Each structure stands twice: as structure tokens, then as C-alpha cells.
């Protein structure tokens, strides 16, 4: 048995090289944290699974350094339509081509192509190492010390000494079992048939997601790519579509006069479940993605939730491992992400119930109520936007009971295009990976001290060259300044007319580091920012 020993710099071991695990590795690398990714398969799973993402998650891919490559393979979608059994439009929930995060609010994609993009980025990153064909067979953790991970490959057993372990190994996670976590059942389970197709036949397509609200035969249809489509049908138990049955199922969208031009890439039965792990952490071992939560696909948030996990945890882990922040900072991962994931799962279950109308005698009545509700003016637009709720109040999210700035805490800052020295870029590319103070007024001595202590960058909203978007955002919330976390969540607010943050005492001790933070690359508040980070 070989043992890796490097006491000066134990890596973070990530179990699972799917999108969540690889994104976590890339995000940690940007903060100087070395990772070893263990994956039991040798290559990317070749068939599509996740097919949709939102603008918040595209922003996470931007943070991981793969946004441009993802943009080349993504297809913006127009939103969601609810259709009745005769395919008449009951309601439409539009999605915009430019959301608050700076990207289309819904994008369709092919998961294997996304995984290739992520793996290629991983291979280019010196701080990341991928071991394929590596199966984790043991996990040993002694108090607050390193975690010892035993994995097996074709050459035998090996042990890695890890500063932390991230379990990104899916619904059947061995890491979840190892930390003694168990599922909480959120009471949803249905079996659906998923059919992925490639065809050049003319397909009647709205360029968004169509949900057939029919308790007898609910279905979902979406276009994924130029010639790629997905249908999902809830069929009677143990029913598998034959070629003739398939022709009948897809007839509302495409005429299979020439079945040879209709290539079925995959036909699989899935059980859609709603579950969440009761614990997401033990010591330095964490659960992310499907290892921590399972959601029905009705609002397209399964993969999105896992990438949110990675974005939330990685900056906190880097603060602890690289800068000596308190271990208690890591407690906020579960306290922030689990309630958020639970709400999103509940929303998916509710939307699934609304879309399919249920299966009992009251289904027709419920569909009538739903049909009336979605015709309320403005409801469609409101329901289609802002699915992701604000983070709940906690040590790193100070939400005032009332008053100025209350609406900002726990939510993302917007990401407009900015212009600096004639160079146009998205705001996050200017901010970098650190804390940021965005201010509408000159910095007070108290604010400057906070920024210096955190190694935060500071920017005057008026100097961003963003057509006033950030300034209007602050003004609309009656805030003079905000403190933005590395994951772009607003942590605290300076209400208009005040000169300091409202909850410094509650979060300062968590972020106090035993080592000097990197020097803040801060733009002077009286001048424009000089350059963009490379």
C-alpha cells in the first residue's frame, strides 16, 4: 500500500469527477488549494443526463473559468409552457436572454459536452490531479487532524492524507455512508421514461420547455441542441415504448414518416425522488450534489443545486486551509445550503404536482384551479424569475428586521457589464476571487479598516462604467455600501446615512485569520479602477 505524505500541504480529496466535483476542484485551485480528484470510472459518462441550467449557475461556471467554453455549447431557452392534454397553452413563464447574473436565465446543454469542458480545464490546472479508475474503500478521520482516504486502483491500495474530503459521488455515495448521514424522505417518488433523440426531421418546437399537464399521461419536451431533443413521459409501471408506441408518443411534435431519421440515443427509466441528507458534514468531510440531496427535475435544478454547494463551500474551505480562519466557518456550509436546497426541492415537488395534476379523482379540479391561477396578470413572469431564494439569516448573512438595505442581504449582487480603461468585461472578472466592498459614497475610516482586514477590494459604483446599474441597485435598497462575499452573496450592508456595517461583531470572529491576508488590490475610491485582473 502506498501512502502520500506531504504534511506541509495536504490536498483536498474530491470523490467523484462529475460536474460538481470538477467544478469544486477548479474553484479551490483559483484560491491556491491543491486537490486530488478520485473517480471510479476512467472516462466521462457518454449519455446526457442534466440538460438545463440557470443564470446563477452560469455565473458559477464563470468563476470556475469555463464560461466561454460553456457559452459555445449552450442554447438559451425561452422559458416554460404548461399545456393541457390537447396541447393547448395554459400558461407561459418567460425567461429572459439577460438575467441579473449577466447570462440567459435558462440555458440548455448536453452534459457530456459540459463534462469534457470541465475535464479539459482540470487537465490545464497544475493544482488539480485526476485519478480515474480509483474506487474509495476507506475513510479515517481522527479529531481535527487530516483525513486518511484509502482508494483502490489496478495497481493496488493507496492512502491519501487529506486536509478535507468532498463527497461528490452521487446518489449512492460511499462518503455519505461513511459519515453516517441518512436520507430524509420528502415524499415524492415517480417513475418516468426519459428518451434522448437526435434527428434532422422538422420538430414543432417552441424553443423552451413544454410540460403536458395531463394526469393520464404527463410529459415534458425540450430542445437541447441543434438536432438534439428530450422527451420525458410518465408511463404505466413496467411499460417500455416500442417503436410504434414511440411514434404515437411524439406525434404531437414530430411526424415519424421516416423512422430511420429519428435516432434514439438513450431510453431509460428513472425514479424521480425528493430526498435530503440529515447531515452534510462530519469534521473535515463534506457532502455535495446528489450525495446530499435529490430533487425531481420539474424546475431543472438538480445539477444547479450541486454547483451551488461547490460555490458556497470552496471559498470557506480555502479561508480555513490557506488563511487560518476558524473551523466554525465551515459550519455555515450546511446551515446555509441545506435549507436552501430543501426549499428548492419542495418547489420542484410542488411544480411537479401542479404540472402533472396528480393521479387521483381530484386531479381535474386541481388542474382547473391551476389554470385559473396562472392566468392572473403578471404571475407568469414573476413565477418564472427568481426561483432561487435568498440565503437565510445567519452568521454570514445579516438581514435587518426592517429598514434600509434589508432586501439585499443573502442575495447575489448583480453582474452587469463594466468598462475599465476601455476594456469591457463582466463585473465578476473585475472583482476577482476575494471579498469586495461596493460603495456609493467615499469610504469611511471604519469601512476602510474592514476592507483592509479582509483583504477586500473596494469599488465606487460610479466608477464601474456599467451605465449606473450597481449604483441604482444600491440606491433602490437605500444602502450606501455592501460587503460582498467571494461567492457574490451580500453579507452585510451599510444603510444610507451610516458609516459602518450593521453586524460586524457577528461575522468578524469567523473570518479572523491567523495569517496575514493577501494585500488587497483596491481601487482608490476617488478614481476609476485601473486594470482588470488577468
Amino acid at each position: 500500500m502506498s501512502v502520500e505524505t506531504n504534511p506541509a500541504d495536504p490536498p483536498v480529496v474530491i470523490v467523484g469527477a462529475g460536474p460538481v466535483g470538477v467544478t469544486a476542484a477548479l474553484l479551490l485551485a483559483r484560491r491556491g488549494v491543491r486537490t486530488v480528484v478520485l473517480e471510479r470510472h476512467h472516462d466521462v459518462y457518454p449519455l446526457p443526463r442534466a440538460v438545463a441550467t440557470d443564470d446563477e449557475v452560469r455565473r458559477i461556471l464563470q468563476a470556475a473559468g469555463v464560461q466561454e467554453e460553456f457559452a459555445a455549447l449552450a442554447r438559451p431557452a425561452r422559458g416554460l409552457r404548461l399545456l393541457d392534454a390537447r396541447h393547448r397553452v395554459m400558461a407561459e413563464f418567460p425567461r429572459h436572454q439577460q438575467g441579473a447574473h449577466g447570462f440567459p436565465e435558462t440555458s440548455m446543454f448536453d452534459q457530456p459536452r459540459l463534462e469534457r469542458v470541465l475535464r479539459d480545464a482540470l487537465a490545464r490546472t497544475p493544482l488539480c490531479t485526476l485519478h480515474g479508475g480509483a474506487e474509495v474503500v476507506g475513510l479515517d478521520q481522527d479529531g481535527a487532524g487530516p483525513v486518511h482516504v484509502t482508494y483502490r486502483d489496478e495497481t493496488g491500495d493507496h492512502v491519501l492524507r487529506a486536509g478535507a474530503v468532498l463527497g461528490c459521488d452521487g446518489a449512492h455515495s460511499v462518503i455519505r455512508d461513511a459519515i453516517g448521514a441518512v436520507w430524509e424522505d420528502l415524499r415524492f417518488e415517480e417513475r418516468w421514461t426519459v428518451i434522448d433523440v437526435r434527428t434532422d426531421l422538422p420538430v414543432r418546437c417552441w424553443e423552451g420547455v413544454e410540460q403536458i399537464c395531463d394526469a393520464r399521461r404527463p410529459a415534458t419536451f425540450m430542445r437541447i441542441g441543434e438536432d438534439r431533443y428530450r422527451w420525458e413521459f410518465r408511463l404505466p409501471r413496467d411499460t417500455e415504448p416500442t417503436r410504434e408506441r414511440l411514434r404515437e408518443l411524439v406525434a404531437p411534435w414530430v411526424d415519424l414518416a421516416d423512422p430511420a431519421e429519428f435516432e434514439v440515443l438513450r431510453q431509460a427509466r428513472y425514479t424521480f425522488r425528493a430526498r435530503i441528507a440529515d447531515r452534510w458534514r462530519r469534521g473535515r468531510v463534506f457532502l455535495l450534489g446528489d450525495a446530499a440531496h435529490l430533487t425531481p427535475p420539474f424546475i431543472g435544478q438538480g445539477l444547479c443545486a450541486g454547483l451551488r454547494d461547490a460555490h458556497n463551500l470552496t471559498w470557506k474551505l480555502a479561508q480555513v486551509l490557506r488563511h487560518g480562519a476558524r473551523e466554525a466557518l465551515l459550519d455555515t456550509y450546511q446551515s446555509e445550503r441545506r435549507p436552501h436546497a430543501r426549499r428548492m426541492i419542495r418547489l420542484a415537488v410542488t411544480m411537479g404536482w401542479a404540472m402533472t395534476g396528480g393521479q387521483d379523482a381530484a386531479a381535474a379540479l386541481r388542474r382547473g384551479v391551476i389554470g385559473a391561477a396562472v392566468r392572473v396578470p403578471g404571475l407568469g413572469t414573476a413565477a418564472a424569475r427568481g426561483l432561487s431564494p435568498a440565503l437565510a439569516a445567519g452568521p454570514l448573512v445579516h438581514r435587518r428586521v426592517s429598514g434600509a438595505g434589508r432586501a439585499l442581504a443573502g442575495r447575489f449582487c448583480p453582474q452587469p457589464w463594466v468598462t475599465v480603461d476601455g476594456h469591457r468585461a463582466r463585473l465578476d472578472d473585475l472583482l476577482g476571487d476575494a471579498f469586495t466592498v461596493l460603495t456609493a459614497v467615499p469610504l469611511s475610516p471604519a469601512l476602510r479598516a474592514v476592507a483592509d482586514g479582509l483583504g477586500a477590494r473596494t469599488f465606487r459604483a460610479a466608477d464601474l462604467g456599467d451605465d449606473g446599474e450597481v449604483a441604482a441597485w444600491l440606491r433602490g435598497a437605500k444602502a450606501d455600501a455592501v460587503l460582498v462575499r467571494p461567492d457574490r452573496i451580500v453579507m452585510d450592508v451599510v444603510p444610507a446615512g451610516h458609516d459602518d456595517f450593521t453586524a460586524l461583531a457577528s461575522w468578524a470572529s469567523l473570518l479572523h485569520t491567523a495569517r496575514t491576508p493577501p494585500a488587497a488590490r483596491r481601487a482608490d475610491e476617488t478614481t476609476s479602477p485601473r486594470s482588470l485582473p488577468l
Side-chain angles (χ1 to χ4, degrees), residues 89-367:
V89 177
M90 297 170 57
E92 186 173 305
F93 303 96
R95 301 290 273 171
H96 297 84
Q97 294 300 298
Q98 178 86 357
H101 297 283
F103 300 102
E105 291 182 319
T106 297
S107 299
M108 312 304 294
F109 67 96
D110 179 46
Q111 182 172 333
R113 294 182 67 191
L114 169 61
E115 293 200 39
R116 285 287 174 210
V117 163
L118 290 168
R119 293 275 187 106
D120 289 347
L122 195 75
R124 297 191 302 267
T125 306
L127 287 175
C128 302
T129 302
L130 172 64
H131 290 323
E135 182 180 4
V136 173
V137 294
L139 199 67
D140 182 49
Q141 183 175 201
D142 182 15
V147 186
H148 291 83
V149 182
T150 303
Y151 72 94
R152 180 173 299 148
D153 61 16
E154 61 271 11
T155 66
D157 287 358
H158 312 268
V159 176
L160 286 171
R161 180 179 179 272
V165 174
L166 309 189
C168 307
D169 51 339
H172 303 291
S173 170
V174 298
I175 304 303
R176 186 178 61 248
D177 292 342
I179 69 169
V182 296
W183 285 127
E184 176 190 353
D185 189 350
L186 300 182
R187 300 184 181 279
F188 183 93
E189 184 169 316
E190 289 187 352
R191 288 185 62 81
W192 286 60
T193 295
V194 178
I195 302 169
D196 287 294
V197 166
R198 177 185 287 119
T199 184
D200 290 323
L201 293 171
V203 178
R204 293 175 283 278
C205 182
W206 176 61
E207 297 297 346
V209 178
E210 295 181 343
Q211 178 65 52
I212 313 305
C213 302
D214 177 8
R216 236 182 6 96
R217 188 192 297 165
T220 306
F221 166 68
M222 65 203 77
R223 184 175 186 171
I224 300 171
E226 190 64 32
D227 61 350
R228 296 284 299 278
Y229 303 87
R230 169 173 287 185
W231 281 268
E232 299 171 356
F233 299 99
R234 192 181 71 198
L235 301 175
R237 187 176 296 275
D238 301 325
T239 299
E240 291 294 337
T242 62
R243 171 63 70 168
E244 287 305 312
R245 176 66 162 153
L246 182 58
R247 183 196 301 266
E248 174 195 342
L249 290 171
V250 303
W253 295 276
V254 59
D255 180 11
L256 294 190
D258 185 358
E261 296 184 30
F262 194 81
E263 179 187 0
V264 177
L265 301 173
R266 180 185 64 151
Q267 179 175 307
R269 294 295 297 270
Y270 278 88
T271 301
F272 297 155
R273 293 186 172 93
R275 293 178 176 177
I276 192 165
D278 64 337
R279 62 187 303 173
W280 292 24
R281 177 192 178 199
R282 191 184 75 187
R284 288 285 185 88
V285 183
F286 304 85
L287 302 180
L288 296 81
D290 285 356
H293 42 73
L294 298 174
T295 182
F298 300 114
I299 56 173
Q301 289 291 308
L303 177 60
C304 295
L307 294 183
R308 288 190 184 101
D309 296 343
H311 204 207
N312 184 288
L313 175 60
T314 50
W315 73 266
K316 298 171 182 177
L317 194 54
Q319 286 288 119
V320 172
L321 295 177
R322 296 272 295 164
H323 304 300
R326 290 177 53 203
E327 195 84 6
L329 177 62
L330 301 177
D331 293 336
T332 65
Y333 168 58
Q334 177 173 323
S335 66
E336 290 184 348
R337 282 296 306 138
R338 190 174 187 274
H340 187 283
R342 185 186 178 92
R343 283 188 64 183
M344 296 299 283
I345 295 169
R346 289 292 192 192
L347 178 59
V349 170
T350 300
M351 290 291 284
W353 171 85
M355 291 173 179
T356 63
Q359 303 176 67
D360 58 22
L365 175 61
R366 287 200 298 271
R367 288 197 304 278

Side-chain angles (χ1 to χ4, degrees), residues 379-400:
L379 181 61
T381 300
R385 304 187 66 185
L387 291 178
S388 179
L391 293 183
L396 299 180
V397 173
H398 179 64
R399 185 170 296 115
R400 305 178 74 205

